[in-house]
Structure formats: C-alpha cells, structure tokens
Amino acid sequence: MASHTRSASLPSSLHSTESNVDEELQLLRACVTAPSATIGAACDGLRRLGDVYSSIEQIMCLPSSQAAGLSLSSPQQRQAVEEELDRSLVLIDLCNAMQESLAELKTSVHELQLVLKRGDVVAAQSKVECFVRLAKKAQKPFKKTTMTIRAAREGCSSMVRLLGEAREMAISLLESTSRLLPKQIASSSNASRWSLVSRRFQKTCKLVCEQEQLQALERTMGDLENGAEFLFRRLIHIRVSLLNIVQMYSF
C-alpha cells in the first residue's frame, strides 16, 4: 500500500515541479523583456535562472525515466535530447564568455578607482573608455550564436520543452545583461542614477568618476559575475545529467 502511494504521488510531484518551473520562467521573461529592465534585475535573474535549472535537474534525476519525461525509446526522442546536448555547449560557452567579460569589467573599475586616488584625470578618462570598450565587447558573442541556438524545434517531451525554454531564457537574460553593461558609465549629457560623472570637473575632464559610485559599480560587477558563475555551474550539471541519460539508453 505504501509502495502504491509513493508511485501515485510521483506524477503529481512531477507535475507540480514542472508547473513551478513554467511559472518562474514566465516571471523571468517578463522581467527581462520589460523596457525598464535594470542591471539589478539582471543580477537577480541570473540566480533565479540558476535555481530553475536546479529544479529541472531534480526532475531529470527522478528514478523513473518516464517520470523524468526523457524516455529515449524513439529516434525522435533521442534526436531531441542529442540536439539539446549540442545546444547546451553553445550556451555554456556564452555563459563562460559573460563571466570573463564581467571579471575584466570588475578589474577595470578597480583600476579606475586607483588612478582617481592618484588624481590622474587623464588616466581616469582612459580607464572609463576602456570600461566602455569591454562592455561593448561583451555583446559580440551573441551576434554570432543567438540565432543558431534559438532555432525552434517541436519538443518530443515535456522535459525537452522545459530545457528549450530555459535555454532561450538564459540567452535572453545574458544578452540583455550585455546590452545594459555599456550604460553603467554614462556621459555628462546622459546623467542618470548610474552616471559616474562629477559635475565639479566637467570643464577639465569629460568623465570624472566619483569614488563612492565606483565602489557600488564594482560590487555590481562582482554580483553579476557571481550570478553568471552560479548559472554556469548549473548548466554544467544539466549537461552531465543529459549525458548520463543518453549513456543509460545506449545499452
């Protein structure tokens, strides 16, 4: 009787987890596509998406392949999972590139603080320009791979569908983050909350950054880097789980 109860509760638990994943992906999509999307929302979104992948991995690791929604009994199912494996590599590369860009940006901000302490206005402007170049460089990987990885496919199972939707969400979030990065240092003509312009020095320097704001920006770059690293680890775990499933059905 107890065994029957456990078996009966499994589909219910699976459906509940899938519903939660769907709901969270919808909420994330609304945040990312909102015109008022901010860098703070991007920080939060990276961690939330990492949690979504953790939930998907939990479903995949259920004892029954039927419960996991990844039966590879048909060629179509196997092809869908193998395609997801290929696309996961592209996504992992994108996430890794974002981590590297954020690490460079954080270093750039730290160096900018050092030259400001020395009062070197010319070097400060050079560092600001370096930050902008690095921020724009972070957008380049998406121009080459986004259309390919987003290629639509009819999912053969609910799990493949969830993986596909999470993948598209990850791309949108990383791409949105890359577009927000250059705006973190604004010119004096576009001063905003994140503008690092000191009006006291506008006559002598186009961009002079205030130490307190730079410290906040360095923390933000660190938070983004941590969020991207968390998502990267989750993507690796998902790929390992997919590989295990494919190997299990190869025998």
Side-chain angles (χ1 to χ4, degrees):
M1 183 65 179
S3 176
H4 174 74
T5 301
R6 286 195 299 271
S7 298
S9 66
L10 188 56
S12 176
S13 175
L14 174 63
H15 178 72
S16 176
T17 305
E18 288 182 352
S19 296
N20 290 339
V21 169
D22 278 327
E23 182 179 355
E24 182 64 8
L25 285 173
Q26 289 176 10
L27 291 172
L28 279 171
R29 191 174 296 110
C31 292
V32 171
T33 58
S36 58
T38 64
I39 205 74
C43 289
D44 182 56
L46 288 169
R47 289 204 165 273
R48 286 169 61 187
L49 186 57
D51 289 335
V52 165
Y53 271 106
S54 294
S55 296
I56 294 176
E57 187 178 11
Q58 289 174 9
I59 299 173
M60 292 171 64
C61 293
L62 289 173
S64 164
S65 63
Q66 181 180 1
L70 276 170
S71 174
L72 303 185
S73 56
S74 70
Q76 292 84 0
Q77 287 279 11
R78 186 178 184 88
Q79 182 182 1
V81 173
E82 288 178 346
E83 286 179 358
E84 204 57 52
L85 273 171
D86 292 338
R87 291 171 180 170
S88 71
L89 275 179
V90 181
L91 180 55
I92 286 170
D93 286 343
L94 285 174
C95 193
N96 184 58
M98 178 59 73
Q99 286 187 87
E100 293 176 353
S101 294
L102 291 167
E104 288 179 333
L105 286 166
K106 188 173 68 172
T107 299
S108 176
V109 174
H110 183 70
E111 291 174 349
L112 178 53
Q113 292 182 72
L114 294 179
V115 298
L116 281 175
K117 286 181 179 179
R118 296 199 303 265
D120 191 337
V121 174
V122 175
Q125 178 161 345
S126 176
K127 291 298 181 182
V128 169
E129 292 170 353
C130 176
F131 180 97
V132 174
R133 285 196 301 271
L134 290 172
K136 290 181 177 179
K137 177 184 172 184
Q139 300 177 23
K140 291 184 178 179
F142 298 95
K143 297 178 181 179
K144 298 179 180 179
T145 59
T146 297
M147 294 305 296
T148 301
I149 197 172
R150 276 181 175 163
R153 173 180 174 82
E154 292 294 329
C156 296
S157 68
S158 59
M159 182 52 55
V160 171
R161 177 185 63 81
L162 286 177
L163 286 169
E165 291 181 359
R167 170 171 42 81
E168 290 191 6
M169 184 67 257
I171 296 169
S172 295
L173 180 56
L174 290 170
E175 188 177 14
S176 173
T177 301
S178 74
R179 290 197 304 267
L180 288 169
L181 289 174
K183 301 175 183 178
Q184 302 315 296
I185 290 186
S187 68
S188 58
S189 60
N190 293 302
S192 66
R193 178 187 174 193
W194 288 99
S195 173
L196 301 178
V197 175
S198 173
R199 295 183 179 179
R200 295 189 302 272
F201 301 98
Q202 282 183 15
K203 293 182 179 180
T204 57
C205 180
K206 183 179 178 182
L207 292 176
V208 176
C209 301
E210 296 179 353
Q211 196 70 26
E212 184 176 339
Q213 290 174 300
L214 279 173
Q215 290 172 355
L217 180 56
E218 185 177 8
R219 288 193 296 270
T220 298
M221 293 300 105
D223 289 343
L224 282 171
E225 184 184 10
N226 291 337
E229 181 184 0
F230 178 64
L231 177 59
F232 179 81
R233 291 199 303 267
R234 299 270 65 82
L235 292 173
I236 294 294
H237 290 170
I238 281 287
R239 179 170 172 78
V240 170
S241 295
L242 278 174
L243 285 170
N244 289 339
I245 289 169
V246 170
Q247 290 173 1
M248 179 174 64
Y249 280 90
S250 297
F251 298 100

